[in-house]
Amino acid sequence: MAAGSLLKIRLHEDDRRHWNRRVAYEEIVRHLWSNGAPGVTVFRAEEGLDAHGYVQDIHSEYLSTSLPITMEVIGTPEDIERICVDLPQLLPAVSQVMVISGVNDVKQGLSKEGWSMSEVNILRVYMKEEDRHHHMPLYHAMLKELKDLGVLWVYAQRALEGFGQEHVIHKTSLLSFSEHAPVVLEATLDPKTAVSVLDRIRPLLQKASGPAILMGADALHLNTMTR
């Protein structure tokens, strides 16, 4: 189980390099696509600060296009280094790029030697809306299984845009959702039960069309993780 990296790129939805060009995040997605990124998932915030520090809300009667956008790429350190070489020239003035190292793909198993349990362990599973388990959406099946295992902090989020191993860019809109829409499920695992939980849900993890990663975190407030 080799450690990988998580690249996060943040900017605003209406950022453009030139007024007549496509928005910056779409250019970056295509840059990542053409530079062989293993996949990308794009999220739009529902509320946040725009580039001028004003609060924007997706539910406003005047639909703002200045909401924060986050792009996530998971790959080897070499993958991330390669795709970041020409990235700065595409970034708007107000933007953020960070790399989180030491993330692990847990589809193949979690070895005690390869991973040191942290105070909190964050599981993120990347998939598509069409991924299924017994005719049920895979993310819903995972939610139910994690509930049965006593994991409390679990949520699923549909992404705005993304591509995976098939290298086809899929988009969603506010009014229409494709069954190919990218979906990410996140769960907070107690280190005392993380290995057993991952062993139980591994058949579901294998059905996800994207990676399943585990990251360690420090807890500022640690409530009970399981019932």
Side-chain angles (χ1 to χ4, degrees):
M1 183 180 61
S5 297
L6 171 61
L7 170 67
K8 283 182 173 282
I9 305 168
R10 292 195 174 106
L11 61 162
H12 293 92
E13 191 172 0
D14 63 349
D15 288 336
R16 300 175 187 266
R17 286 196 295 162
H18 305 288
W19 69 269
N20 61 341
R21 300 286 295 273
R22 64 164 56 103
V23 291
Y25 86 82
E26 291 182 336
E27 287 198 1
I28 292 171
V29 168
R30 281 148 185 81
H31 168 81
L32 296 171
W33 182 88
S34 62
N35 279 271
V40 63
T41 308
V42 183
F43 301 97
R44 177 204 280 124
E46 292 202 0
E47 186 171 354
L49 301 179
D50 65 15
H52 304 289
Y54 296 109
V55 176
Q56 301 288 351
D57 185 347
I58 199 170
H59 303 295
S60 170
E61 59 179 313
Y62 301 105
L63 181 59
S64 168
T65 57
S66 297
L67 288 163
I69 291 285
T70 299
M71 288 166 274
E72 296 183 354
V73 180
I74 298 168
T76 66
E78 294 76 20
D79 287 334
I80 301 304
E81 183 177 359
R82 184 186 70 253
I83 62 180
C84 285
V85 170
D86 299 322
L87 185 60
Q89 66 187 21
L90 298 178
L91 295 173
V94 179
S95 59
Q96 183 184 75
V97 179
M98 66 178 69
V99 177
I100 301 172
S101 302
V103 303
N104 292 273
D105 191 326
V106 294
K107 280 188 175 182
Q108 303 305 317
L110 184 65
S111 65
K112 293 181 179 179
E113 294 77 16
W115 175 258
S116 177
M117 284 295 171
S118 301
E119 196 172 14
V120 175
N121 299 277
I122 308 300
L123 172 69
R124 285 179 68 80
V125 187
Y126 297 77
M127 65 195 86
K128 291 187 293 190
E129 180 84 14
E130 66 182 353
D131 292 349
R132 290 287 188 272
H133 175 69
H134 298 323
H135 308 292
M136 180 187 299
L138 181 61
Y139 68 88
H140 188 64
M142 286 187 180
L143 281 168
K144 291 186 65 177
E145 184 68 17
L146 289 166
K147 172 182 176 293
D148 291 343
L149 291 170
V151 179
L152 294 181
W153 297 109
V154 188
Y155 73 91
Q157 180 181 9
R158 186 179 280 107
L160 177 68
E161 182 174 336
F163 67 84
Q165 292 180 345
E166 82 283 5
H167 225 54
V168 176
I169 296 175
H170 298 291
K171 292 186 176 184
T172 62
S173 72
L174 292 176
L175 302 177
S176 175
F177 293 120
S178 163
E179 69 172 4
H180 300 292
V183 175
V184 175
L185 178 139
E186 181 169 304
T188 303
L189 305 181
D190 187 324
K192 297 177 182 177
T193 59
V195 173
S196 61
V197 167
L198 290 170
D199 285 342
R200 284 283 299 275
I201 67 170
R202 185 150 293 111
L204 298 177
L205 297 177
Q206 297 294 347
K207 294 185 177 184
S209 52
I213 63 171
L214 191 68
M215 300 179 290
D218 294 326
L220 299 181
H221 174 69
L222 189 61
N223 207 340
T224 302
M225 297 297 177
T226 57
R227 291 189 295 274

